[in-house]
Amino acid sequence: MVSATFNKIEMKPKEYKSEIKPVWCPGCGHHGVLASVYRAMSELGIQPSDFINISGIGCSSRLPYFVKSYKMHTLHGRAGAVATGTQLARPDLPVVVSGGDGDGFSIGGGHMPHMARKNVNMTYVLMDNGIYGLTKGQSSPTSRREMKAYITPYGGVEEPLNPILYMLTYGATYVGQAFAGNPKMCAALIKGAIEHKGFAYVNIFSQCPTFNKLDTAKFYRGLVEEVPEDHDTSDMENAMRLARRPDGKAPVGLLYQEDRQTLDEAMAGLVELVGGSADYDLKKIIDKNRP
Amino acid sequence: MTEKNDLIIRIAGEGGEGIVSTGDFIAAACARAGLEIYTFKTFPAEIKGGYCLYQVRTSAERVYNQGDTFDVFVAYNGEAYELNKHLLTPGTTFVYDGPGGDFEPEIPEGVTAYAIPMSKTAKALGSYRSKNMVALGALSVLFNINETTLIEVLTNKFKPKGEDILEFNLKAFAEGKKLANEHKKTDDFRVADATGTKDVILIAGNEAVGMGAILGRLEFFSAYPLTPATEVAKYVSAQLPKTGGTLIQAEDEIASMAQVLGASYAGKRSMTATSGPGLALMSELIGMSTMAELPALIVDVQRGGPSTGLPTKHEQSDLFLAVHGGHGDSPRIVLSVEDVNDCVNMTVAALNLTEQYQCPVIMLSDGSLAFSTQTIPTPDPDSFEIVERTRWDGEGEYMRYKMTENLISPMADPGTPGGEHVAASLEHTESGAPNFAPEPHEANARKRFNKIKPVIDQWPAAEMDGVEGEADVGIITWGSTIGVAREAVARLVAEGKKVKAMYPKLIYPMPVDQYEAFAATCKQILVPEVNYQGQLSHFIRAETSIKPVPYTICGGLPFTPAQIVNKVKEIS
């Protein structure tokens, strides 16, 4: 989405708050992400009626309720697929998905590659807390193996996946990562993602103080390290190298950005190719079946 | 014996030998000559090769089904002969590849046989691929297939591929004619004479659904390949860009349904088409269509199940899934089509209904209809009314799920200032805010069920057939079995039997009063359908006071008129 395509308005971040108050626990990283969303919207001057925020199911998927906008609270894992339809139907409006690690990479994992490779022109903000919070603390695809959880009482038996490495591989054209404790960076990345033309993925470490006692805010603060200033964001190989640093540190900032034809552009190209329009003579279509 | 010109020609052989194109050419030539067409095909589930069958029924009068059996059987190979020889009964005609084919048939007593060396002649012409043209030439002579229209059809097909290709095919066609002329015609089967051009199109069920979608002003289609439904997407993919719409191939059926809901939320007329396995996968999102009151059309071209089942075979066994598939109380409108004409018109109607009632609409087609090409009156694009969803007028405070008098809550398209709202998967208040208290859930459940009830009066009353007044047997059936029942009822009535029939196409919500009124005039009710359980019978027992006699088959094939005639005689 390119910011110039929608009508700008002057609104303060707090004016984007909806009438519904956040239901998250005190200390939850998602509060920081929400503040960053408000800030990004304000900085971009987005009209609430021009903004479409779509989520699946989970703690993070409640986010759209707290934002003044058009929104869909859909099914577990399906936000990205639903948003793909919405984006193709209204390519003129910014579409942002809010979701979590279980929603995006477990049940919804089958949709992730396709949004990225098709370069659906939308933003996916994934709040990664390494746990299923809404169902009271089961291990997720990003949980550390040593974590004892609700139905892994003896500790985990699986390795976690690396979200940004996946998204780079799948073909996302904008990949960034941040920590919810740094709302400024989060807002900058989300703003950049909305402005980006193509599929933008932002992974945000967002601590769950209630159920994930391993990945605390303190832990994340020690885990992250800013992407080096001299990193060239068009350099995929270096982005991948940063995404899997041997010392286990997690890069934060913008890792990768690419300009590639979006799915809606390709679709518009098909309409142009066949000379399509809403007032196309339907009789011409019917006549193809004359014997 | 008088000439029979309600003629059924069955062509069978190995997939890839041009069986389908031979049948298509005959069908098109007859349709061009003003005759009515109903074709029936079975395809192998194999990737290449395998047994393939194409049956053309043609008549000057309208034909409603594939018929009981063939009049003329054309065998391209030994396998086709072996599989069909039990049907070579006295009075039938047999055309086969010989001498020089891969088999030596025994001609049963009373069967007229014409040996046409199709393979040998094709090879002598330099291309085995011309076998179907040799066969076609022979058939045109033997059975009076209109040569003028046949040549026109062949020219339209092959000329764009090059003059030399056209010339070669016409040469093979002429060779076939020559071979047939060496035989003396001894049977009475001939295609009816040309009746003059009619204003018709010739189209298969799946394509017709696609045409209906275009005529219904579809804007968004999300597809995932699934036999036997994929041709719907194939048609739409070629045509929808012309009207400015979008078709996308999704990563699975779940994503297809999700994308349909996403586009519908954005204000677009949206649909998908699938078969039973896909419908099963879509169930959860269809529930969301109900809950969030998002219009969505799902076409289910049924096939044999459960599981992967019989992917290319005919069955009517998704009625339970269509009506009740999904968790929670999730009402939807379910329609079923009878024939190719319905595939066009009811797809338009289904798109209108889903927009009008803001609920999922599932339209059931089936495996035999999917590939059946039929002549239908040429649709007039201007004759279709297009019903749009009720949109918010911008007055006052917007409440997405407002309890209105007719229970239809106006929708607001994204981009409309003041209309910001949530499409709610959770139970909610009128504004859309999550709410799990008893009252909103009960009120909304009532709303979701009651808002679609008016469709019962809005939808045309189920068609009645057969005798007026009291009947010994009343037939109730659905889907493409209706076309079979029509012929069975006509035969029984002609024999003086007191038989009538009712053909519901609105399956759910069920027009209970219509069923009761019909049953009140019948001594017993017979429900033929192609599934093991008797799924429509089950709904009739559940929702009405009627105790029907189920008549079920599930052999992967549609009913024949004779089967229904015999069953009626058996129970009356």
Side-chain angles (χ1 to χ4, degrees):
Chain A
M1 180 50 57
V2 182
S3 58
T5 59
F6 47 84
N7 301 322
K8 293 202 173 200
I9 191 170
E10 262 195 46
M11 274 174 74
K12 294 195 180 81
K14 66 176 185 192
E15 289 176 306
Y16 285 96
K17 287 185 181 180
S18 77
E19 69 287 358
I20 299 176
K21 297 270 169 291
V23 288
W24 299 311
C25 308
C28 171
H30 299 353
H31 292 288
V33 180
L34 178 62
S36 312
V37 171
Y38 293 146
R39 190 162 168 173
M41 289 176 77
S42 173
E43 285 180 17
L44 288 166
I46 297 176
Q47 297 247 25
S49 58
D50 284 345
F51 191 72
I52 308 176
N53 193 181
I54 298 178
S55 68
I57 298 299
C59 287
S60 52
S61 292
R62 288 297 180 95
L63 188 141
Y65 279 110
F66 318 131
V67 180
K68 235 182 233 172
S69 70
Y70 278 88
K71 54 207 142 192
M72 301 181 77
H73 184 221
T74 71
L75 301 185
H76 197 26
R78 311 302 165 209
V82 171
T84 299
T86 308
Q87 200 283 327
L88 289 172
R90 285 302 299 268
D92 56 323
L93 299 180
V95 176
V96 174
V97 174
S98 312
D101 39 304
D103 190 61
F105 280 107
S106 194
I107 185 167
H111 305 305
M112 285 297 200
H114 306 286
M115 289 178 267
R117 76 180 174 88
K118 293 179 183 188
N119 204 23
V120 181
N121 190 2
M122 65 187 190
T123 296
Y124 199 119
V125 178
L126 190 136
M127 293 167 243
D128 180 3
N129 59 8
I131 196 94
Y132 284 81
L134 199 62
T135 47
K136 301 192 189 303
Q138 297 77 31
S139 68
S140 89
T142 58
S143 295
R144 282 192 278 156
R145 187 164 180 158
E146 57 266 40
M147 189 174 76
K148 287 184 180 171
Y150 200 84
I151 41 183
T152 45
Y154 307 110
V157 291
E158 303 152 9
E159 289 303 316
L161 61 75
N162 181 335
I164 51 172
L165 189 58
Y166 265 85
M167 297 319 291
L168 286 168
T169 314
Y170 287 157
T173 52
Y174 178 107
V175 178
Q177 184 157 258
F179 165 48
N182 185 349
K184 206 174 151 196
M185 185 190 277
C186 290
L189 280 175
I190 294 169
K191 184 186 169 204
I194 295 170
E195 287 180 303
H196 172 72
K197 180 180 76 71
F199 184 75
Y201 177 78
V202 181
N203 200 70
I204 301 182
F205 296 119
S206 179
Q207 76 280 359
C208 172
T210 307
F211 295 109
N212 188 339
K213 304 293 187 191
L214 278 182
D215 301 339
T216 59
K218 196 177 159 204
F219 166 79
Y220 283 134
R221 220 167 259 126
L223 178 74
V224 302
E225 192 170 297
E226 283 201 35
V227 170
E229 260 181 42
D230 63 351
H231 169 61
D232 173 3
T233 54
S234 70
D235 184 345
M236 166 71 86
E237 281 185 28
N238 201 45
M240 286 185 159
R241 216 171 284 126
L242 288 169
R244 46 175 309 178
R245 286 171 49 149
D247 61 4
K249 287 266 185 185
V252 286
L254 182 61
L255 280 110
Y256 185 71
Q257 189 165 16
E258 177 193 340
D259 184 21
R260 200 171 83 214
Q261 189 189 45
T262 60
L263 184 60
D264 61 289
E265 284 174 345
M267 290 293 171
L270 296 184
V271 173
E272 203 179 321
L273 181 74
V274 300
S277 77
D279 48 13
Y280 191 89
D281 184 4
L282 298 180
K283 287 191 172 128
K284 279 204 237 168
I285 294 176
I286 292 168
D287 283 345
K288 287 185 173 300
N289 281 88
R290 292 204 182 266
Chain B
M1 188 178 162
T2 54
E3 283 171 354
K4 181 178 183 305
N5 51 29
D6 172 355
L7 193 64
I8 301 172
I9 302 175
R10 175 177 293 187
I11 305 160
E14 178 82 359
E17 278 194 311
I19 308 290
V20 173
S21 58
T22 312
D24 280 345
F25 290 138
I26 294 173
C30 292
R32 239 179 135 85
L35 303 178
E36 302 280 343
I37 291 293
Y38 190 111
T39 73
F40 173 76
K41 301 162 203 175
T42 63
F43 294 105
E46 286 79 8
I47 291 161
K48 199 168 188 307
Y51 175 70
C52 179
L53 176 155
Y54 192 123
Q55 189 162 300
V56 190
R57 184 175 186 187
T58 178
S59 168
E61 311 296 325
R62 185 164 167 204
V63 277
Y64 292 101
N65 55 65
Q66 80 287 352
D68 291 326
T69 178
F70 54 76
D71 300 305
V72 176
F73 173 55
V74 184
Y76 274 35
N77 68 7
E79 185 189 17
Y81 164 68
E82 289 298 329
L83 287 168
N84 289 276
K85 65 181 182 187
H86 66 288
L87 298 169
L88 287 168
T89 52
T92 59
T93 291
F94 180 38
V95 181
Y96 65 95
D97 181 18
D102 69 347
F103 66 112
E104 291 290 338
E106 280 171 37
I107 310 302
E109 188 76 26
V111 171
T112 308
Y114 302 106
I116 304 289
M118 307 168 191
S119 298
K120 205 173 120 186
T121 310
K123 278 179 210 154
L125 283 166
S127 169
Y128 183 71
R129 290 176 55 110
S130 63
K131 181 174 174 180
N132 61 336
M133 284 298 122
V134 177
L136 191 62
L139 295 174
S140 74
V141 168
L142 290 171
F143 305 108
N144 187 44
I145 301 168
N146 191 296
E147 192 179 339
T148 313
T149 56
L150 203 43
I151 298 284
E152 284 166 2
V153 167
L154 294 177
T155 306
N156 289 345
K157 173 80 179 180
F158 292 115
K159 201 168 181 181
K161 297 182 179 180
E163 283 293 342
D164 51 333
I165 291 176
L166 173 63
E167 202 180 309
F168 178 74
N169 280 288
L170 291 179
K171 192 175 158 200
F173 178 78
E175 284 298 315
K177 280 173 57 186
K178 213 184 290 171
L179 293 167
N181 278 320
E182 288 165 13
H183 290 279
K184 185 177 168 348
K185 170 88 171 167
T186 53
D187 64 7
D188 297 304
F189 296 129
R190 60 198 303 276
V191 168
D193 288 326
T195 62
T197 315
K198 285 185 190 159
D199 189 13
V200 294
I201 57 170
L202 181 65
I203 187 167
N206 280 348
E207 290 179 300
V209 170
M211 184 179 280
I214 300 293
L215 294 173
R217 291 294 179 181
L218 181 77
E219 294 170 294
F220 183 86
F221 189 112
S222 181
Y224 189 76
L226 187 62
T227 305
T230 314
E231 294 72 21
V232 178
K234 184 182 181 218
Y235 183 92
V236 175
S237 65
Q239 307 306 331
L240 191 56
K242 294 179 185 171
T243 58
T246 299
L247 177 140
I248 179 180
Q249 180 174 327
E251 55 270 26
D252 54 41
E253 288 91 343
I254 296 174
S256 274
M257 191 61 213
Q259 287 165 358
V260 164
L261 294 187
S264 177
Y265 177 75
K268 304 293 183 189
R269 295 167 82 85
S270 305
M271 72 177 284
T272 183
T274 186
S275 186
L279 186 64
L281 285 173
M282 292 173 185
S283 297
E284 190 189 13
L285 279 152
I286 291 171
M288 176 166 175
S289 167
T290 298
M291 179 59 107
E293 305 195 42
L294 288 168
L297 170 61
I298 306 101
V299 174
D300 171 15
V301 184
Q302 300 165 92
R303 68 190 218 182
S307 186
T308 306
L310 295 80
T312 61
K313 298 294 181 191
H314 173 82
E315 207 163 271
Q316 301 178 279
S317 52
D318 290 346
L319 198 54
F320 287 165
L321 178 64
V323 175
H324 290 321
H327 60 285
D329 293 314
S330 61
R332 69 284 307 269
I333 294 171
V334 178
L335 307 170
S336 85
V337 294
E338 170 191 353
D339 57 14
V340 170
N341 201 34
D342 277 353
C343 288
V344 176
N345 298 328
M346 280 176 58
T347 303
V348 181
L351 279 167
N352 284 341
L353 286 181
T354 191
E355 292 290 321
Q356 182 185 349
Y357 288 101
Q358 298 178 23
C359 72
V361 173
I362 299 176
M363 190 176 95
L364 297 169
S365 177
D366 58 52
S368 73
L369 197 48
F371 304 113
S372 174
T373 39
Q374 299 173 19
T375 37
I376 63 168
T378 305
D380 173 7
D382 302 326
S383 69
F384 294 100
E385 188 198 358
I386 301 298
V387 179
E388 292 194 26
R389 62 183 67 176
T390 305
R391 287 186 165 87
W392 181 50
D393 59 9
E395 298 292 317
E397 191 194 353
Y398 180 60
M399 301 280 257
R400 168 64 186 97
Y401 299 103
K402 196 175 172 58
M403 285 289 176
T404 61
E405 206 170 309
N406 67 357
L407 302 175
I408 306 295
S409 312
M411 297 183 76
D413 292 343
T416 311
E420 298 88 344
H421 68 274
V422 63
S425 169
L426 288 172
E427 189 56 283
H428 45 266
T429 63
E430 287 182 75
S431 74
N435 189 301
F436 311 132
E439 210 285 321
H441 185 44
E442 292 197 344
N444 281 331
R446 274 195 302 278
K447 176 187 198 263
R448 292 186 285 261
F449 275 91
N450 287 339
K451 75 170 179 176
I452 63 171
K453 280 190 180 162
V455 74
I456 293 173
D457 293 321
Q458 180 185 343
W459 191 260
E463 190 190 338
M464 301 292 169
D465 193 9
V467 296
E468 301 279 330
E470 293 287 318
D472 293 326
V473 177
I475 295 170
I476 302 178
T477 191
W478 63 286
S480 64
T481 306
I482 292 174
V484 185
R486 286 182 193 275
E487 189 166 336
V489 168
R491 286 188 205 169
L492 288 160
V493 170
E495 285 179 30
K497 300 281 181 206
K498 288 170 83 175
V499 174
K500 65 200 300 192
M502 169 179 164
Y503 306 135
K505 295 182 182 177
L506 171 64
I507 302 294
Y508 190 89
M510 209 167 177
V512 170
D513 293 346
Q514 293 174 34
Y515 281 87
E516 295 284 6
F518 174 75
T521 64
C522 305
K523 283 190 189 144
Q524 45 185 338
I525 294 293
L526 179 71
V527 182
E529 51 186 322
V530 187
N531 61 62
Y532 182 79
Q533 299 172 94
Q535 297 190 4
L536 182 62
S537 287
H538 180 101
F539 281 119
I540 292 171
R541 285 186 74 102
E543 305 239 348
T544 73
S545 65
I546 306 163
K547 301 274 183 285
V549 180
Y551 176 29
T552 64
I553 58 169
C554 62
L557 292 169
F559 275 105
T560 63
Q563 282 176 305
I564 295 179
V565 165
N566 292 341
K567 188 70 181 182
V568 168
K569 287 178 178 171
E570 184 190 311
I571 66 166
S572 58

